Amino acid sequence: MKKIISAFILTLFLLSSPLLISVTSHAETEKVGAASYTMQDIRNLQDFLLDKPTEEDLSEKPYDLNGDNIWNVFDLCLMKQEYAGQNAENTSNILVAYFSATGNTENIANHITNITGADIFEIEAAIPYTAEDLDYTNSSCRANQEQSDAAFRPEIAGSVDNMEAYDVVFLGYPIWWGEEPRIIDTFLESYAFSDKTLIPFCTSGNSGIAASERNIANLGVPIGNQLAGRRFSGTTSEQSVAEWIDTLALTEEEVKTKMQIAVNGHTLTATLADNTSAQALAELLTTEPLTLELHDYANFEKVGTLPQTLPRNDEPIDADYGDIILYQGNQFVLYYDTNSWTFTRLGRVENITKEELQEILGDGNVTVTLSLVD
């Protein structure tokens, strides 16, 4: 098992950064002993050292942790250690497990470790991948052969000795031919996840994470709670990763709002997203069910107009079948195939295959009735 102490990594990283200094007050120094730091404090000091504008007034902040009347990278290192210590009860049970063929996924895994103070484990193939193995232009290369066989399970070198100690597992991987590498399936089938929260993350130039998330959910491995993952580029900054992690419910039980969709004699169950758009839709359904006429568009979605405009939380999304999307604030969209665009996620239909959903929705226009699950 490969474990890395995050504080050690942070020290090496920060000591390699330029030293930027600002004089602070003695009154501020006196506050240090009683200070309790948040992720926002870390961002504030980091932005200050990089000479970036900050939204908060930092003049009274207790950021001189080593008492030398200056703010520098040593204070930032100490602050991150303090933050990890303050949250040790919440973070000591977190594991970041990742497979990285070229180093991109490893970069994101290290960011997550730095932010959360988690332990880290590199998923390595018993027979390491060579450059020739990853030559996708060669149809007979190892990676292509493995990906073409959904039942293939590459052997892993080493193991997580104390997997039972972790409640939260971040699982990282590159996207190979639109899916997770088969070695990720090997890892998932090697341990019990029924009492754990699993959070996928991937690196890719343009392919989305949705197909791999669906594969993981349908692998047959019981998972206590699989949270929505995120795709990153290999060069994504630590701050961007931290902003994503801030949106995750790692230490509190997540209360999910469920919605039923009655269509063509069937009842589908969907989990609503955690944003103001989905909350507004749920509020709209609290008084009575809502019936919509959806028309078919472009052979990948059914779309209809809502009775009122909802708040928008638009972002680039690789929509997959079962995704429920808000378009332009007032268009309810149910996907039965894939599409990439900038719009708002409202939720996702659960426990259904692409073929089943397409058969239920049928061709042409369709009437759906939305209601909340009690």
Side-chain angles (χ1 to χ4, degrees):
M1 174 177 178
K2 178 183 176 185
K3 283 192 177 182
I4 300 175
I5 300 175
S6 60
F8 178 69
I9 296 174
L10 286 169
T11 302
L12 292 179
F13 170 75
L14 292 169
L15 287 177
S16 67
S17 303
L19 184 64
L20 301 176
I21 302 174
S22 174
V23 176
T24 60
S25 68
H26 290 289
E28 179 179 296
T29 303
E30 293 172 357
K31 300 176 187 176
V32 173
S36 178
Y37 298 103
T38 66
M39 184 56 66
Q40 185 59 52
D41 288 316
I42 293 173
R43 290 189 197 132
N44 286 343
L45 183 53
Q46 184 170 285
D47 287 345
F48 174 83
L49 296 178
L50 295 174
D51 200 27
K52 292 182 178 180
T54 58
E55 296 181 0
E56 296 185 56
D57 178 7
L58 306 185
S59 61
E60 297 298 321
K61 295 291 186 180
Y63 291 171
D64 178 20
L65 280 79
N66 62 356
D68 62 357
N69 290 333
I70 59 175
W71 291 358
N72 54 30
V73 291
F74 299 103
D75 294 309
L76 182 57
C77 181
L78 291 171
M79 183 182 290
K80 288 192 174 185
Q81 290 177 326
E82 287 271 342
Y83 178 80
Q86 292 163 196
N87 294 275
E89 198 172 293
N90 293 332
T91 59
S92 61
N93 63 345
I94 299 176
L95 176 69
V96 179
Y98 73 94
F99 168 70
S100 185
T102 62
N104 288 333
T105 305
E106 183 176 28
N107 291 340
I108 306 304
N110 285 333
H111 288 337
I112 297 173
T113 303
N114 293 345
I115 294 161
T116 65
D119 292 335
I120 192 166
F121 175 77
E122 182 176 4
I123 302 169
E124 298 179 282
I127 302 175
Y129 290 90
T130 65
E132 290 76 15
D133 292 336
L134 303 175
D135 182 9
Y136 301 114
T137 63
N138 178 5
S139 60
S140 62
C141 81
R142 176 183 172 186
N144 283 344
Q145 289 183 15
E146 291 179 358
Q147 290 304 102
S148 65
D149 182 0
F152 193 86
R153 296 293 182 268
E155 183 180 352
I156 295 175
S159 62
V160 182
D161 295 329
N162 58 336
M163 179 62 87
E164 67 279 357
Y166 300 108
D167 296 326
V168 176
V169 178
F170 286 87
L171 181 60
Y173 46 87
I175 294 295
W176 287 3
W177 292 110
E179 300 180 322
E180 77 287 358
R182 300 297 175 225
I183 197 169
I184 294 298
D185 299 338
T186 307
F187 178 81
L188 287 167
E189 292 175 349
S190 300
Y191 304 96
F193 290 89
S194 59
D195 61 347
K196 303 186 189 304
T197 295
L198 183 71
I199 309 166
F201 67 95
C202 74
T203 54
S204 160
N206 48 38
S207 297
I209 195 173
S212 66
E213 286 183 299
R214 192 114 22 208
N215 289 347
I216 290 170
N218 295 331
L219 190 60
V221 175
I223 296 173
N225 186 19
Q226 181 177 331
L227 300 187
R230 181 68 62 89
R231 179 188 71 85
F232 299 99
S233 69
T235 57
T236 299
S237 69
E238 184 173 313
Q239 181 168 342
S240 295
V241 176
E243 290 171 355
W244 168 60
I245 290 175
D246 281 348
T247 68
L248 301 174
L250 300 183
T251 58
E252 297 178 1
E253 184 176 355
E254 188 177 15
V255 178
K256 298 180 179 180
T257 303
K258 305 283 187 178
M259 178 179 70
Q260 289 185 334
I261 305 173
V263 52
N264 287 336
H266 297 268
T267 300
L268 310 176
T269 300
T271 300
L272 293 182
D274 183 15
N275 58 36
T276 56
S277 310
Q279 291 166 6
L281 176 61
E283 181 66 24
L284 188 61
L285 299 177
T286 54
T287 54
E288 60 182 356
L290 176 64
T291 298
L292 301 175
E293 298 295 327
L294 308 184
H295 65 271
D296 197 85
Y297 178 78
N299 294 320
F300 56 71
E301 68 181 27
K302 305 286 188 180
V303 56
T305 303
L306 292 165
Q308 67 183 56
T309 299
L310 305 181
R312 294 170 64 170
N313 290 278
D314 290 347
E315 60 178 333
I317 294 176
D318 297 313
D320 201 354
Y321 75 91
D323 281 337
I324 303 170
I325 297 298
L326 177 68
Y327 178 62
Q328 293 187 337
N330 67 344
Q331 299 296 305
F332 178 93
V333 186
L334 176 55
Y335 276 86
Y336 58 85
D337 212 321
T338 60
N339 182 40
S340 298
W341 199 254
T342 298
F343 30 41
T344 296
R345 190 181 300 280
L346 287 177
R348 177 180 288 179
V349 177
E350 300 175 343
N351 303 319
I352 195 167
T353 67
K354 180 177 180 179
E355 293 73 22
E356 289 170 341
L357 182 60
Q358 290 178 342
E359 182 178 352
I360 289 172
L361 294 178
D363 298 326
N365 298 346
V366 66
T367 300
V368 302
T369 299
L370 313 179
S371 59
L372 292 180
V373 177
D374 295 333

